[in-house]
Amino acid sequence: MIPQPSENGHHARNAWRGALWACGLNAVGMPLDILMAREVTDMPRWPPLVSSAAGVLLLIVLFAFRRRPTARLATTTFLVNTAVIVAALWITSTAYAGAPGRWIPFQANKLGALAAAMLAPDLVTGSVAIAAFVGMALLRYLTLHEALQERFAIGEPWTIVIYALFAMALLAYRAQRIALARRMFRIRSESIATQRLARAFLALRDFTNTPLQTIELASGILHRQHPELGPILDRIDRSVDRLYRLNNTFSVYESQIEWTEEDLTPDPTALVVGH
């Protein structure tokens, strides 16, 4: 059996990296919210800290499975990380809305939607994450008192819908690129497997050439010395001829094979056994 590179393994590693970056951004970015809100007197400190701690725990889980990542693990950690961030933003947005001064609402949600488009393991997971960031912002707005809603800038919070459209477009484009990369990966894998199989067959052909020539020579000698064995020797000759035709069929593909230094071995059996 010829081993082939695992397409699922390649996809799982890419999904693992995306989830890793998302959890890292949560672990590092959410505590910055405390610094930005230092002048907001009613701002609770624990939601960003809990979200950051969850990001760290998810990072530990991802690192624990770094040698055998799976798409399911990446998807689960990504969605859990998103849920924790959205929950923290739900709490802190109330304090921001009630703080004195001008507040540009739901900036973190907008960044989260764009980050989900760039880091999500797949199209469905990314869509769910984008919907979570955007839906939370709109629902939070609808639950605020009318006096707080009137303090929002013109066009807010509905500008987040524009961010959602851009995020979905980025996600769809990225998903298309990933699908194309996976197809190219599969084609490349099949090409490598075909090359290996062809090299093995050509090595087998070279290995059998000398025995075939010996059989052909011995058959010719027996034809001359023992004509009475003609019917049996004719069958041998026909079998040898069929093997020669098979060898010629392999020769058609010989010019298409990319030979490496490892293939240039004096022992053809090593190449056959190696494949």
Side-chain angles (χ1 to χ4, degrees):
M1 181 178 179
I2 299 175
Q4 299 185 33
S6 174
E7 180 183 349
N8 291 332
H10 182 73
H11 171 64
R13 284 191 295 272
N14 287 335
W16 179 86
R17 293 189 190 99
L20 187 74
W21 276 99
C23 295
L25 289 175
N26 179 20
V28 176
M30 288 302 291
L32 298 178
D33 198 41
I34 298 176
L35 296 177
M36 293 186 294
R38 60 185 180 274
E39 297 180 359
V40 181
T41 56
D42 295 333
M43 174 63 69
R45 302 296 189 260
W46 64 267
L49 293 177
V50 170
S51 180
S52 177
V56 172
L57 290 176
L58 292 173
L59 282 174
I60 294 173
V61 172
L62 288 170
F63 269 109
F65 290 90
R66 65 186 181 278
R67 298 189 183 279
R68 53 183 188 282
T70 62
R72 178 176 296 180
L73 172 67
T75 299
T76 302
T77 53
F78 189 91
L79 290 176
V80 171
N81 185 68
T82 300
V84 172
I85 295 174
V86 168
L89 294 178
W90 176 272
I91 298 172
T92 59
S93 60
T94 303
Y96 274 120
R102 181 173 297 179
W103 173 51
I104 302 177
F106 308 120
Q107 293 294 85
N109 295 70
K110 297 170 185 176
L111 290 175
L114 295 177
M118 300 301 298
L119 300 175
D122 53 62
L123 182 62
V124 175
T125 304
S127 300
V128 171
I130 293 171
F133 282 112
V134 176
M136 177 247 124
L138 297 178
L139 184 61
R140 177 81 281 184
Y141 170 76
L142 295 176
T143 57
L144 291 175
H145 193 273
E146 290 184 4
L148 296 178
Q149 292 180 359
E150 292 176 356
R151 297 181 57 220
F152 280 26
I154 298 175
E156 296 290 352
W158 309 109
T159 54
I160 198 172
V161 177
I162 300 176
Y163 278 83
L165 294 176
F166 273 86
M168 288 301 300
L170 287 174
L171 179 63
Y173 175 75
R174 178 168 164 262
Q176 185 181 22
R177 292 295 301 271
I178 290 175
L180 178 61
R182 293 184 69 179
R183 286 196 296 271
M184 295 298 296
F185 182 84
R186 181 165 54 250
I187 292 172
R188 177 61 178 167
S189 300
E190 293 173 355
S191 175
I192 292 173
T194 302
Q195 290 269 338
R196 289 176 177 175
L197 183 61
R199 283 196 292 268
F201 276 129
L202 290 173
L204 181 62
R205 180 206 63 180
D206 296 338
F207 184 66
T208 59
N209 274 342
T210 299
L212 286 177
Q213 292 171 359
T214 303
I215 294 173
E216 187 177 28
L217 180 61
S219 176
I221 295 173
L222 289 174
H223 264 296
R224 289 191 297 271
Q225 295 182 355
H226 301 281
E228 69 279 4
L229 299 178
I232 298 177
L233 296 176
D234 288 339
R235 294 179 61 184
I236 294 176
D237 291 339
R238 286 194 296 270
S239 298
V240 170
D241 183 64
R242 292 178 63 186
L243 290 175
Y244 273 129
R245 289 201 302 270
L246 181 61
N247 285 349
N248 291 334
T249 302
F250 292 150
S251 300
V252 174
Y253 303 98
E254 188 169 11
S255 60
Q256 304 176 17
I257 303 300
E258 298 177 3
W259 296 96
T260 63
E261 293 183 0
E262 296 178 355
D263 301 327
L264 302 179
T265 170
D267 183 10
T269 58
L271 185 59
V272 176
V273 174
H275 291 284

